Amino acid sequence: MGSGDAKMSGGERRPRELPVFAAEELLVRECARHGTVIVVGETGSGKSTQIPQFLMERRTFGGRVAVTQPRRVAAVSLAKRVAWERRTKVGGLVGYNVRFDDCTGKKTRLRYLTDGMLLREAMLDSTLKRYSVVLLDEAHERSLSTDLLFGVVKRAQQERRATNMPLRVVVMSATLDVQLFMRYFSSSDKTGDAFDEPVAVHIRGRQFPVELRYATESQQDYLDAAIVTVLQVHLSERENKGDVLVFLTGQEEIESCAELLEEKAQLLPPNALKLQVCPLFAALPAHKQLAVFAPAPPGSRKVVLATNIAETSITISGVRFVVDTGMVKAKSYAASTGLELLRVGPISQEQAWQRAGRAGREGPGKCFRLYREQDFLKLRQRSVPEIKRVELSQVVLQLLTMGVRQVDKFPFIEAPPTDALRQAVFQLVALGAVSVPSRHASAAKKSDGGDAPQGPELTELGRRMAALPLEPMHAKFLIESERFGCTEEALTIAAMLSVESPLFTPRNARREANSAHRRYLSFEADHLTLLNVFGAFLEAKADAKWCQANFLKFSTLHKARKVRQQLVGMLSTVLETSALGSAKADSTPILQCLVSSFSLRIAQRLPPDGKPGVRYKTFAESLETRIHPSSGLARRDPPPEWVVYNELVMTSKKYLKGVAAIDQKWLVQFAPALFQAQAQAQARGGKTGGEALAAGPKRKPKENDAAQAARVDVRLTPFHPPLNEF
DNA sequence: GAGCACTGC
């Protein structure tokens, strides 16, 4: 027994009245018999704190217990809570492990971690052999990492099946996904062994009743309807002083709604409760988010206008009324165009229940749905899981690292679109992270009696890229920086690109913000702007007040600094040398390094054709885009001919963000896999520029191409993605 | 000359 257990003599502080204790014996028995147990525990059941302890206490399960959470704060606070209950220190018997913060020790047997962290562990040890039990908590949220972990634990279970340390899996979920999970873990070959069949256990929760009200007719304008509803609730519920939580879709909407509500609040009768309006969204600086947690002053009622951050990430006490617009802003990805979209759409039924539940945390509540019941019934039952909505190159890189070569055969609980997988493999091949053995070669191997699996293979570069907690292109940029002698700068740029923009431009102080930002602005590359901002931040000793005065987001810069530190610590395993090169005042190596790593994100200016604005055509997707007005290059005159960009986003238009001007010569020099000098092509009796351009992937000749080709002496080499090879 | 939901390594 460790010293942690000895301290238990002081008496533990576990809340024995929680419903989960009634199920302790049943749970432990089922975990002993079955390899997989699905626990359906409603909110307030105590499942996340108690079930891991039940399992850790039973020596029959041996070894260590891992509990995953989709969010850092949850992992940390659960570990602290459990340690407190057991009167031990965090980092002893009970610990947590999240990015930048490992609070575990040799004695730790119960480890709370983020799902992303366990996935990192799986990349080093795909059977997770240090654990005897893995609990996937909040599984219904279907985060990208949890979804991948489903496949990881299923494979690990199969591999460890016959050993003396089988892997036990507990899936904890709050809703109706039991059938999906049960089917998924059911063994395909019926062994007759109970261990191979999953079992479900239900645990009651502690949730107060929530009365539902639906709109009687469908609303033209949900914003207007939300404001009217808030005022109605406020005036009709005089005796109930509970706060109101309104679900909206985004910052703009929340800010304008807040203004309108405040205006209306002025017109309330003098004897009525006052209204205190609190906006809440992730981009709101931390000190402004605090207002949400303070209780409303006497004689007033709080109205929180929130994004879906209030669905799961932030719990606000005092809420008794929920107003649900039925709308949400969410990301989607179309592999065919390579375009990620952020758009407003209807929520799912499950999300509607989640929102309603927020009214019944502390007492009976009411939920006002601003849509009709028949419209609710038409909503999709479940939200589309993240894995089906995002670009997958990082996921594929992770799968390959875990030894999954046929990524389309991976046991996904729900498979992503095949196109998205192909697109991801294509991108990794183009980056040089992955090589695809030709069919001929793999067939020859087979006939030799070799049993090498088919599918793409990680290259040395790919292995290094996978080790970094960055998206593949940023990882390549950092690795390549060694050869360009600009690693110091690349570290900062990679860290800054992996956090949100640090420039803070509030609506009511746009001019001041813009003029404050001007001193950092580069007209050559937004990457250099980021370097300038980060440099100034360090010079100001990373001071929060300084950030505020200069319209910069402290939390973002602080995080970028942590990321940079983490990357520095990882460099020795990823680079050849330990001495970090610096480009000093010369931007050229940085820009050349960008060309060499972002060769799939290059765009060329289109000739003016009367339409307003300067437009660019992306080379990889052949899309017509513009430089985003927030870029330093948007106002440059003349606009650059060639640019490399970090991101292609679709908002009101298609925009390039994170843009840098580059020299055309560099394309041939540093991205030869995609660009070849026409001179070379012609020397081999190649095509003219125009024909060559038209020969690119997914490219049809257009009128513009001829005009464009006349000015271009770079040719896109036909580049065939290994579409059927993985 | 425009607005980006939310997580995570």
Side-chain angles (χ1 to χ4, degrees):
Chain A
M1 276 282 154
S3 57
D5 291 274
K7 285 183 200 143
M8 291 276 294
S9 56
E12 55 163 42
R13 303 187 258 203
R14 293 169 75 178
R16 294 280 169 186
E17 72 285 357
L18 281 177
V20 70
F21 283 96
E24 177 170 1
E25 288 314 314
L26 172 69
L27 272 164
V28 169
R29 202 168 57 235
E30 296 292 33
C31 284
R33 290 184 62 210
H34 300 272
T36 308
V37 176
I38 320 287
V39 178
V40 187
E42 295 159 29
T43 40
S45 62
K47 62 182 163 55
S48 307
T49 51
Q50 306 308 318
I51 295 176
Q53 296 188 68
F54 299 159
L55 298 175
M56 174 187 67
E57 284 160 355
R58 308 294 160 127
R59 283 275 153 164
T60 43
F61 300 127
R64 301 189 190 85
V65 178
V67 187
T68 68
Q69 295 293 325
R71 283 169 293 280
R72 295 164 53 92
V73 271
V76 174
S77 60
L78 284 169
K80 286 183 174 164
R81 165 78 201 192
V82 171
W84 177 86
E85 283 182 7
R86 303 182 75 89
R87 294 182 190 273
T88 69
K89 281 211 178 94
V90 196
L93 187 69
V94 182
Y96 63 86
N97 191 3
V98 298
R99 189 181 188 180
F100 312 131
D101 196 1
D102 180 0
C103 193
T104 59
K106 282 209 181 72
K107 287 179 188 151
T108 303
R109 287 184 50 224
L110 173 52
R111 179 188 296 241
Y112 285 88
L113 27 61
T114 46
D115 47 14
M117 206 57 164
L118 189 62
L119 197 60
R120 276 278 148 199
E121 283 189 24
M123 289 167 69
L124 302 171
D125 167 21
S126 63
T127 63
L128 296 170
K129 54 180 173 291
R130 69 196 292 196
Y131 302 109
S132 52
V133 185
V134 169
L135 289 94
L136 304 177
D137 201 359
E138 311 287 5
H140 59 281
E141 286 190 26
R142 305 291 304 281
S143 78
L144 189 58
S145 298
T146 300
D147 259 21
L148 294 170
L149 284 172
F150 273 116
V152 169
V153 295
K154 192 172 178 180
R155 291 173 83 222
Q157 258 183 338
Q158 282 157 2
E159 278 191 44
R160 285 165 54 172
R161 175 72 179 82
T163 69
N164 58 2
M165 212 184 100
L167 177 65
R168 291 190 154 74
V169 175
V170 178
V171 176
M172 303 209 282
S173 165
T175 40
L176 357 113
D177 290 309
V178 202
Q179 286 315 313
L180 175 71
F181 298 143
M182 289 289 280
R183 259 201 314 275
Y184 178 73
F185 282 101
S186 288
S187 148
S188 48
D189 45 310
K190 300 287 171 200
T191 57
D193 189 337
F195 192 85
D196 296 322
E197 288 306 317
V199 67
V201 175
H202 292 254
I203 295 170
R204 267 186 311 113
R206 286 204 170 164
Q207 175 80 345
F208 294 93
V210 174
E211 191 184 320
L212 280 182
R213 304 273 176 84
Y214 286 95
T216 49
E217 31 194 291
S218 69
Q219 302 297 315
Q220 300 286 325
D221 179 348
Y222 67 81
L223 267 188
D224 186 57
I227 291 171
V228 170
T229 307
V230 168
L231 292 168
Q232 274 174 359
V233 170
H234 180 59
L235 291 173
S236 62
E237 302 277 350
R238 286 166 198 274
E239 70 296 341
N240 187 337
K241 301 217 167 34
D243 296 328
V244 186
L245 172 59
V246 188
F247 283 99
L248 296 165
T249 66
Q251 178 174 348
E252 283 280 318
E253 198 173 277
I254 287 172
E255 281 172 347
S256 69
C257 199
E259 268 173 35
L260 283 169
L261 250 182
E262 264 159 4
E263 273 173 36
K264 305 263 181 182
Q266 305 292 316
L267 308 173
L268 288 171
N271 61 340
L273 276 176
K274 301 240 174 316
L275 266 190
Q276 198 200 11
V277 181
C278 300
L280 179 65
F281 44 87
L284 197 68
H287 64 277
K288 292 191 176 167
Q289 284 190 6
L290 291 179
V292 166
F293 300 106
S300 66
R301 189 201 300 274
K302 211 162 61 180
V303 179
V304 179
L305 308 177
T307 60
N308 40 353
I309 194 172
E311 262 173 35
T312 50
S313 304
I314 290 180
T315 300
I316 308 146
S317 63
V319 171
R320 291 296 182 88
F321 305 101
V322 162
V323 177
D324 177 14
T325 57
M327 302 302 275
V328 67
K329 193 179 281 183
K331 190 184 251 185
S332 62
Y333 172 69
S336 54
T337 53
L339 214 56
E340 284 191 322
L341 292 178
L342 208 49
R343 63 176 169 208
V344 173
I347 58 172
S348 64
Q349 291 187 8
E350 183 195 45
Q351 247 176 318
W353 289 121
Q354 178 69 27
R355 289 178 173 191
R358 291 287 162 168
R361 304 276 300 187
E362 291 158 9
K366 287 183 185 169
C367 173
F368 302 84
R369 291 182 169 163
L370 303 181
Y371 41 91
R372 298 172 304 173
E373 187 164 16
Q374 66 247 51
D375 297 324
F376 167 77
L377 293 169
K378 281 185 214 145
L379 295 175
R380 55 182 313 133
Q381 274 196 306
R382 304 266 297 99
S383 305
V384 179
E386 193 181 1
I387 199 163
K388 291 186 162 180
R389 297 186 283 113
V390 296
E391 200 279 320
L392 294 171
S393 53
Q394 203 171 356
V395 164
V396 169
L397 198 58
Q398 284 168 335
L399 291 176
L400 290 168
T401 306
M402 293 187 292
V404 181
R405 281 190 60 183
Q406 290 178 286
V407 288
D408 55 337
K409 301 271 164 53
F410 182 74
F412 292 108
I413 186 158
E414 272 180 77
T418 312
D419 271 357
L421 279 175
R422 279 188 193 147
Q423 184 58 34
V425 173
F426 164 64
Q427 204 183 109
L428 291 171
V429 171
L431 288 175
V434 151
S435 64
V436 182
S438 70
R439 276 176 197 206
H440 178 73
S442 49
K445 233 181 189 173
K446 271 215 166 141
S447 63
D448 281 354
D451 56 350
Q454 284 181 313
E457 198 172 1
L458 223 47
T459 61
E460 176 54 29
L461 174 64
R463 243 183 300 282
R464 293 185 193 188
M465 283 165 59
L468 294 166
L470 295 172
E471 67 161 278
M473 240 174 255
H474 297 164
K476 180 171 178 181
F477 171 64
L478 181 54
I479 294 166
E480 290 272 281
S481 73
E482 186 169 28
R483 147 171 114 80
F484 289 91
C486 58
T487 304
E488 284 285 0
E489 291 79 13
L491 281 163
T492 305
I493 291 169
M496 290 286 268
L497 288 178
S498 68
V499 300
E500 327 79 272
S501 167
L503 308 182
F504 177 52
T505 316
R507 241 165 45 134
N508 53 10
R510 192 186 298 178
R511 290 186 65 179
E512 294 96 306
N514 283 342
S515 86
H517 295 157
R518 199 163 298 138
R519 78 193 73 147
Y520 310 114
L521 205 65
S522 160
F523 295 100
E524 193 182 8
D526 295 331
H527 309 72
L528 300 179
T529 304
L530 293 177
L531 271 180
N532 293 338
V533 169
F534 189 79
F537 175 66
L538 291 190
E539 215 163 281
K541 305 255 188 306
D543 180 60
K545 289 235 164 59
W546 176 85
C547 289
Q548 223 170 310
N550 289 281
F551 293 92
L552 299 171
K553 286 185 214 157
F554 170 76
S555 57
T556 302
L557 286 164
H558 180 72
K559 187 173 177 204
R561 195 167 72 139
K562 299 283 269 187
V563 174
R564 192 183 190 281
Q565 282 166 353
Q566 187 191 25
L567 293 175
V568 168
M570 296 176 127
L571 280 183
S572 60
T573 59
V574 162
L575 297 188
E576 308 277 344
T577 58
S578 51
L580 300 190
S582 168
K584 303 272 166 31
D586 184 8
S587 63
T588 305
I590 300 170
L591 298 173
Q592 291 177 339
C593 185
L594 281 171
V595 171
S596 117
S597 44
F598 287 74
S599 54
L600 287 171
R601 296 187 189 162
I602 280 164
Q604 184 186 19
R605 184 155 66 97
L606 288 170
D609 63 355
K611 284 195 219 158
V614 182
R615 283 159 303 112
Y616 285 79
K617 189 165 196 170
T618 66
F619 246 80
E621 309 88 354
S622 195
L623 288 172
E624 215 178 284
T625 63
R626 294 156 200 271
I627 295 179
H628 194 276
S630 67
S631 165
L633 281 79
R635 275 169 294 174
R636 206 170 97 152
D637 198 29
E641 171 84 12
W642 291 90
V643 293
V644 56
Y645 58 91
N646 180 52
E647 204 181 3
L648 171 58
V649 294
M650 170 83 184
T651 49
S652 59
K653 298 187 184 76
K654 293 180 206 110
Y655 284 111
L656 305 178
K657 298 185 85 172
V659 182
I662 52 168
D663 189 326
Q664 184 188 290
K665 290 196 294 288
W666 299 341
L667 297 174
V668 183
Q669 211 176 339
F670 301 114
L674 288 170
F675 299 92
Q676 246 177 43
Q678 191 192 27
Q680 286 172 20
Q682 279 180 338
R684 291 199 307 263
K687 300 164 182 168
T688 67
E691 290 165 43
L693 271 172
K698 286 189 242 156
R699 213 165 210 283
K700 288 196 185 112
K702 284 187 191 153
E703 320 79 73
N704 270 341
D705 278 335
Q708 195 182 332
R711 303 176 300 127
V712 170
D713 60 17
V714 170
R715 121 187 203 327
L716 186 66
T717 54
F719 185 77
H720 298 295
L723 286 188
N724 304 309
E725 294 276 353
F726 70 83

